[in-house]
Amino acid sequence: MTLKPSVVSGASPSGRSSGTRSGARIFSIQLTTNLHATPTVPIMRRGRSREQRHTRSFQNTLQAQKTSGGPEKKDLDILIAASKAERLAHLESQAMQALKYTVENYEHPVFTCALIAGDMVILELLHRMDYLSTGKVQVMFVDTFYLFGETIEFMRETEERYDFKANWFHAKEFNNKAELEAAHGVDFWKEDLKLYDSICKVEPYWRGLETLQADAVINGRRRDHGFDRAFLDLYEHESGADKINPLAYFTFEDVWDYIKAENVAYHPLHDKGYPSIGDAKDTVPVPKSRWFEYAGERLGRFNGLTNDDGSTKTECGIHFPQTEEENEDVEKVGSSDEKKGGGLTIEVM
C-alpha cells in the first residue's frame, strides 16, 4: 500500500507550489488485495465532502472483501490509511484557513518560531501560501544564548529554504552568553530560574512583539501539549495581540504524519531522540516509545526544573495564563503530581 499525492491543476509534482494553490491535490492510496486489479481510492483535499470521501474508500474495500471472502488485516490497514489521509487533509485545511483569516484581518501578524516540529509545519504552510517571502507574516525568533548550536544553524538554513529573514531577539543589553554570564554569573539560571526566564525569554519575546507591532501572534501550541494547553482553540482573544493556534487540534502524531507526507524539513536533533527542542542546558532525549503519549512531546523539556512553589516546570513564562479565569482553571487541577506536560527528570550520563 502506498500513499502519494497526485497532481491537479495548481500544484507542482512535488505537492508544493511557491504560492497559494489554486487546485486540489489528491492523496492516492494504492489498494493491493488478492484481486488482479489494483484500484485507487482518491482522497480529495478539497472539493468532495468528508462523507463522500470516506464512503468511496469504504466501498472499495467492501468490494475487495466480497471477492476475497471477508475482511483481512490489509483491508483494515487500507481503511486506517484512508482515514489518516482524510484527517490530515482536514487539519491542513483548518490550519490554512486560520492563517488566511489572520493575514486578511490583522495588519501585523507575527509567527513566533522555535523550530520545533509543529513550527516547521506552520512555516511550510506559510511558505506555500506565499506569506513568508512577501512579508505578509513576520517570523520572530528568540535566541536565549543557551540554544543548541544546531538550532542556530538550522534557522539559517530555514531562512534560505523558505526565502525569508527572521527577526532575531535576545537578552537586552547583552550581545552573547559570555556578556550575560559576566553580569549575572556562570549558569546563574541554576540559582534564579525566574530571573533567567525573565531576561532571556520573556523580555525579548514581548519586546519583539512590540517592535514588530504585532496585533496577532501565530504560534504552534496544541491541545495535546499538556493540561496547561488542553483547552486551546484556534483563536484566542487577548489584550494587545490575539493568539492564533493553527495546529490546536493536531496531535504530535498528526504533526509527524504531515511532515512525512509532505517531506517537510525538520530539526536535525529529532533524529537524535529529541521530541522537542529548547535550551541545551535542560533539554534531553526521550525514548521514542514515549513521544506520542499525551504531552509526550514536551517530556524532555525543562529537565529537572521546578517552579518556586515546587511544582514541575512546564512553561517558560511566555504562555502562562493571562486572565483570572485561566488561572482558576489551572488551580482546579490540584497538586503538581496531577499536572503533566514537561519537566521529566532524566539522568543524563
Side-chain angles (χ1 to χ4, degrees), residues 105-139:
N105 290 276
Y106 295 88
E107 293 185 6
H108 302 290
V110 174
F111 172 38
T112 54
C113 179
L115 299 176
I116 58 177
D119 288 354
M120 298 311 298
V121 171
I122 294 175
L123 281 175
E124 172 72 16
L125 296 179
L126 290 172
H127 168 68
R128 189 183 297 165
M129 300 173 78
D130 206 23
Y131 291 161
L132 290 179
S133 61
T134 59
K136 291 181 179 180
V137 172
Q138 292 293 311
V139 177

Side-chain angles (χ1 to χ4, degrees), residues 6-17 21-25:
S6 299
V7 180
V8 184
S9 62
S12 67
S14 65
R16 297 189 181 86
S17 63
R21 296 173 299 177
S22 59
R25 283 180 302 159

Side-chain angles (χ1 to χ4, degrees), residues 1-279:
M1 177 180 65
T2 59
L3 179 62
K4 59 183 180 180
S6 299
V7 180
V8 184
S9 62
S12 67
S14 65
R16 297 189 181 86
S17 63
S18 60
T20 304
R21 296 173 299 177
S22 59
R25 283 180 302 159
I26 301 176
F27 270 132
S28 296
I29 299 177
Q30 193 70 29
L31 304 183
T32 304
T33 68
N34 58 356
L35 299 175
H36 294 294
T38 54
T40 298
V41 178
I43 308 298
M44 293 292 295
R45 288 211 166 185
R46 273 163 286 280
R48 295 178 184 169
S49 69
R50 297 177 66 192
E51 292 77 14
Q52 288 174 321
R53 295 194 298 267
H54 176 78
T55 300
R56 179 73 178 271
S57 61
F58 185 70
Q59 288 175 341
N60 274 274
T61 304
L62 284 181
Q63 183 59 43
Q65 291 175 5
K66 288 180 181 178
T67 305
S68 63
E72 298 182 4
K73 180 180 181 301
K74 59 186 175 183
D75 298 325
L76 299 181
D77 289 341
I78 291 167
L79 288 180
I80 291 171
S83 299
K84 282 194 172 186
E86 182 180 355
R87 175 178 172 82
L88 286 183
H90 171 69
L91 289 171
E92 181 200 56
S93 176
Q94 189 177 62
M96 294 178 78
Q97 288 173 14
L99 296 173
K100 184 175 186 291
Y101 173 85
T102 303
V103 169
E104 292 180 351
N105 290 276
Y106 295 88
E107 293 185 6
H108 302 290
V110 174
F111 172 38
T112 54
C113 179
L115 299 176
I116 58 177
D119 288 354
M120 298 311 298
V121 171
I122 294 175
L123 281 175
E124 172 72 16
L125 296 179
L126 290 172
H127 168 68
R128 189 183 297 165
M129 300 173 78
D130 206 23
Y131 291 161
L132 290 179
S133 61
T134 59
K136 291 181 179 180
V137 172
Q138 292 293 311
V139 177
M140 190 179 93
F141 179 71
V142 174
D143 179 5
T144 66
F145 294 147
Y146 289 83
L147 299 176
F148 289 93
E150 291 91 335
T151 299
I152 301 299
E153 182 179 353
F154 185 58
M155 173 53 88
R156 299 297 189 194
E157 295 172 357
T158 302
E159 289 178 319
E160 183 176 353
R161 179 182 300 107
Y162 289 132
D163 190 23
F164 74 95
K165 177 62 179 175
N167 299 273
W168 294 54
F169 292 89
H170 54 68
K172 192 175 183 180
E173 299 178 355
F174 301 101
N175 295 311
N176 51 54
K177 179 181 176 181
E179 291 183 8
L180 175 67
E181 293 191 338
H184 293 282
V186 176
D187 293 338
F188 74 100
W189 57 272
K190 293 180 180 179
E191 285 73 41
D192 196 336
L193 186 57
K194 183 177 291 186
L195 178 63
Y196 166 77
D197 284 346
S198 176
I199 293 175
C200 297
K201 296 182 179 181
V202 180
E203 189 281 329
Y205 175 87
W206 290 108
R207 175 163 44 87
L209 295 184
E210 182 179 2
T211 300
L212 298 173
Q213 299 179 302
D215 53 359
V217 181
I218 301 167
N219 66 90
R221 293 180 303 151
R222 303 192 315 273
R223 289 187 168 203
D224 72 330
H225 275 149
F227 178 82
D228 292 335
R229 303 179 180 185
F231 304 100
L232 280 178
D233 288 316
L234 286 172
Y235 312 93
E236 294 178 283
H237 178 66
E238 294 194 1
S239 59
D242 292 341
K243 287 185 179 179
I244 313 299
N245 312 307
L247 306 186
Y249 303 129
F250 277 68
T251 65
F252 197 38
E253 182 180 4
D254 293 327
V255 168
W256 278 102
D257 283 345
Y258 191 86
I259 285 174
K260 293 175 182 177
E262 297 295 322
N263 194 30
V264 177
Y266 58 85
H267 198 298
L269 287 181
H270 289 307
D271 288 334
K272 296 184 178 181
Y274 294 82
S276 183
I277 295 95
D279 283 345

